[in-house]
Amino acid sequence: MNDILVSRVTAGLTLLVCLLGAAPQAWAEDGAAEMPAAVDEMPAAVEAGEAAPTEAAPADEVVVLGDDVDWGEEETTRDPTKGLVQGRVTSKSNGDALIEARVTVQGTPFSTLTDVDGNFELELPPGTYEFRVWYELHQPQRVQGIVVEAGAEQQLDVALVGDDDSVLEIVVEAQADKSKAAVQMEKRKRAAVVMDAVSGEEMSKTPDSSAADAMKRVVGASVVDGKYLVVRGLGGRYNTTLLEGVSVPSPEPDMPSVPLDLFPSSLLSSVSVAKTATPDLPGNFAGGALLIDSKQYPTEFKLNLKAGFSGDSVTTFQQGPRYTGGSSDWLGFDDGTRALPAAVPGDGPTNELNREERANVGKSFDQTWAARNESLPANFNFGASVGDTVSAFGNRFGYLASLSWGQSWDLEEEYNVDVALDGSKPENATEIAGIRKVKLGGLGSFSYQLGPSDDLAFITLFSRSADDRAQVTRGFSNNDRDFEKTDLAFIARQLSFNQLRGHHRFESLGQLELDWQGNFSVVNRDEPDTRTIYYEDMGDGSMRMNKERGGQRLFSELDDRTFGGGFDLALPMESWKPKVGVLYSQSARDYGMRRFLYEDSRATPEVLGLPANEIFNDETIGRYFQFKEQTRTSDSYTADFQLVATYAMADVTLFDPLRVIFGARFERAHTELVHDSPFASADDAPKGVDRLEEDVLPSVNLVYALGEQMNLRAAYAMTVARPQFRELSSASWYDFDRRRFYSGNPELERSRIHNADLRFEFFPGATEVLAASVFGKVFENPIEELFFTDTGKSVTYDNADGGYVYGIELEGRVGLYHLSKSLREFGVTGNLTLATSEVEIDEPLMTNQKRPLNGQSPYAVNFGLLYENELTGTTAQLLYNVFGPRLDVAGIQGLPDIYEDVFHRVDLTFTQGLGSGFDMKLAATNLLDQEETYSQGDTEVSRFSPGVGASASLGWTF
């Protein structure tokens, strides 16, 4: 290893130990690779609402190359607060250099002439610029949306078309790399809606492993249970998730939201949240629409390999409960070990068999019921990607293929107390769970340019996660007995998403733009053979299996298939851009569950006292225990949801600098749900659902440009929140993560929400922003969780009478070079959300008929400090997050509400370029070693320690 490499590593490790460095990028000093000329695959002028060009130029008339970052091997005398744009101007006909071609930067005094080799250089302050290039007897060209970053170099080569007579101006387009922080900031500045975003570049500098982690960095956003998004205190049904512009169905039947841990950060180029609505966005959200963009294909061949290890102080190399599973668990798939045995009838309930046949069925199951203590290993993850853009049949063809796999272990020890009406503590327990988590993801992205104005793209994404859980709960029950309960569960979630889309511009129709897409996705959730066995102390120190609660098995499976498509037509004109669109989507869901029990018929105390792995065997099944099916009619359902939407809107810049985006969306939603379990042993007469809902949803967004880098935004929109299939079903179920029994309500109605926003934003640099927002929302018939047992363990859903939420958001993301040039390698980011909410529920059972919305924090704070040194290739980032107490369970019958307490989190990351394409990343999480606690009044009812985490990874790029 050479001296330079040694010095880099030494400097980086010193920074890590001393906690020097940390959080979001020295934004204006970002030395990342350059951003191509347009944002979000659209001409900058079109996104800004300007007039469309008269004629599009062939795409190969300009080549935008990436930066070759020099890590300091050579001296440079350039101003570090500025960026360099350099390139070569040639004649397209013969490739000859054009001497003294004029290159100007519109709206600025910057201009230059090319030298004898056609080369030019311009040093510019950070910002977004439009370049004009012309030469005698050639058609002039204009290149828009060039983003210049401090300390970065931009290569811009232009080939001018010779023409003795024509003076036609040609607009050149290039694709923007959406993973760059500067691109996301430019996209945010030009957006029609109030928007916040996290780029792939930023995610790479944090401990974030999934979209769920990334959302914790967004102003006004938080994550519940490590995977469910809450925006401005609104979660679940009040948010929608779009992948490449298409709604993603949730694989969770129990939750009305998509678990974001399904999306590994290694497969994403950006995640952004639209907090206000426009007619071309789905109408079913109030908190935010989460927009997920997958990685793009690179402009040159790139191969990337990455591997990493991680662990934490609570789990790694500690003893935890485990059990024997299948041989392919490490991939997130059950190999059949947990499948229903062939002896189980597949056309009717097991109870229709005779006694001997049922006994044989019961004997055919694997009889592993107990957990054993094992040392839990360190976590490991691996990723690989390859991509390029090549020429195919005379046009550009881009591809990207990536694969990621990771396995992690969690040892969760949680202490829980139930508070009774008389103030006593009838039950307290400690849950110890050993959980193996596997994530497998793959992405294929392909794009083909049919011509200068026509593009096709196809994306396929596969994501699978599996939680293999062994959980032992020990405590004191409400019948004055010590107990021990063991749960063994394997829960796998899978998403397969496929989309074909196209973009076309028709010059003969006044630059009319057509965007279309067709999509098909399959979501699965499989929970095979969840086993529960329950033992109680009989008062003499002996533990015996409980006759009513012991020996339960559960199998469930969800299959959701969604297909649809749509198109948008837009006509860019001089001062306005009308746009119309149509969308159709249909989801068909099949959900099935089967419940089984080894029922005690005449077991002796000696048999009931046998160990868990010995109590059910060929001798005891049929003699002491009867195998019985307990499936209910409501345990299974089929459902269908059809949505037809159409909209009309206009983006008007006639009153420049005021931009007005207004219109309306019409949605027609038809929902059908039928309970139809063929295995039911008891008919609990569940209700079905058949309803049609039609809504007209108007919206208006105003953007007033106070200056080139400042916007004042105001918005109003009407949106809806619809109940999910499981919430409408009559089924009941248990959620391991939240430790609650849920049941649906077929009478639920949709909510209607009035949304208003006001925001001021200032963009002092390419990746810098200062923003302040005020927001308010008023709800009609909000859907809320209601608890109907005093322990908060039984939950249903109902419509409240009304509710509201309002608050403010403050955000800053700046480089410290504004204070002193000596601090140019440092940057800070911070955001603060203050909010208050209230929902009114006319339910006598509730302790407080007026209370905050579930999950609403009165405040949330994020802060980060970043150190980034381009010369040594060193980046270090310190991140801090805290949120205020948020309602978890609403108390009933006079019991106080249960709140999740304040939680402070500090993370540290360190990355170091090692040369030869290698880079190293180190991270430490939860450095304060905070515990997650829940309180009911003055009583702490739950406590859990996630521990201090650490990770290390090594990447190589060719």
Side-chain angles (χ1 to χ4, degrees), residues 507-519:
E507 298 178 15
S508 60
L509 299 177
Q511 301 297 322
L512 178 70
E513 296 174 356
L514 168 64
D515 289 278
W516 58 267
Q517 62 87 18
N519 64 85

Side-chain angles (χ1 to χ4, degrees), residues 24 80 96 148 150 170 182 249 268 366 469 494 567 578 613 719 733 741 809-810 815:
D96 289 345
V148 175
I170 297 175
L268 308 180
D366 174 61
R469 175 189 294 262
Q494 181 173 301
F567 67 87
N613 282 344
T719 58
W733 64 93
F741 292 94
E809 296 173 337
L810 303 175

Side-chain angles (χ1 to χ4, degrees), residues 369-371 472-477 479 481-486 532-538 542-551 605-616 625:
W369 294 85
V472 179
T473 306
R474 298 183 179 92
F476 187 76
S477 67
N479 60 357
R481 292 182 178 180
D482 291 329
F483 71 91
E484 180 178 304
K485 180 168 73 82
T486 302
T532 300
I533 194 164
Y534 189 97
Y535 281 80
E536 286 183 331
D537 188 334
M538 303 311 295
S542 63
M543 300 291 289
R544 298 178 192 171
M545 191 189 77
N546 181 283
K547 296 182 179 182
E548 291 78 25
R549 302 176 65 178
E606 291 76 18
V607 172
L608 292 174
L610 289 172
N613 282 344
E614 300 177 16
I615 192 169
F616 303 118
F625 302 102

Side-chain angles (χ1 to χ4, degrees), residues 540-735:
D540 57 2
S542 63
M543 300 291 289
R544 298 178 192 171
M545 191 189 77
N546 181 283
K547 296 182 179 182
E548 291 78 25
R549 302 176 65 178
Q552 302 177 43
R553 311 188 89 115
L554 180 146
F555 294 77
S556 71
E557 186 173 7
L558 176 147
D559 182 85
D560 190 305
R561 297 174 182 269
T562 300
F563 69 90
F567 67 87
D568 305 277
L569 288 172
L571 185 61
M573 291 188 282
E574 184 175 355
S575 57
W576 71 302
K577 180 180 180 180
K579 185 178 181 182
V580 297
V582 175
L583 171 75
Y584 174 78
S585 178
Q586 179 173 2
S587 294
R589 173 173 291 191
D590 287 304
Y591 179 76
M593 178 189 294
R594 300 187 73 173
R595 307 173 190 259
F596 303 98
L597 173 69
Y598 290 92
E599 186 178 48
D600 170 37
S601 57
R602 50 180 181 273
T604 65
E606 291 76 18
V607 172
L608 292 174
L610 289 172
N613 282 344
E614 300 177 16
I615 192 169
F616 303 118
N617 54 55
D618 289 351
E619 293 184 5
T620 60
I621 299 174
R623 181 181 178 186
Y624 298 113
F625 302 102
Q626 297 301 316
F627 186 74
K628 181 180 180 181
E629 182 154 5
Q630 294 185 317
T631 304
R632 300 187 289 263
T633 303
S634 60
D635 284 336
S636 299
Y637 63 84
T638 58
D640 184 82
F641 177 77
Q642 296 182 44
L643 177 69
V644 178
T646 183
Y647 71 87
M649 61 180 290
D651 190 341
V652 180
T653 56
L654 177 65
F655 312 105
D656 187 54
L658 176 65
R659 178 184 176 194
V660 183
I661 305 98
F662 68 97
R665 183 181 182 91
F666 173 76
E667 293 191 346
R668 183 180 189 271
H670 184 212
T671 304
E672 289 185 290
L673 186 146
V674 178
H675 291 277
D676 56 356
S677 175
F679 308 108
S681 57
D683 187 359
D684 49 352
K687 292 183 179 180
V689 175
D690 187 355
R691 65 175 59 170
L692 178 67
E693 298 166 334
E694 296 182 339
D695 295 284
V696 176
L697 306 173
S699 65
V700 58
N701 286 262
L702 306 176
V703 185
Y704 189 84
L706 298 173
E708 188 175 339
Q709 306 298 332
M710 287 187 288
N711 290 325
L712 180 64
R713 297 177 178 271
Y716 167 80
M718 170 74 79
T719 58
V720 298
R722 302 185 181 96
Q724 305 297 302
F725 286 138
R726 191 68 177 264
E727 296 172 331
L728 289 170
S729 76
S730 299
S732 61
W733 64 93
Y734 182 74
D735 186 332

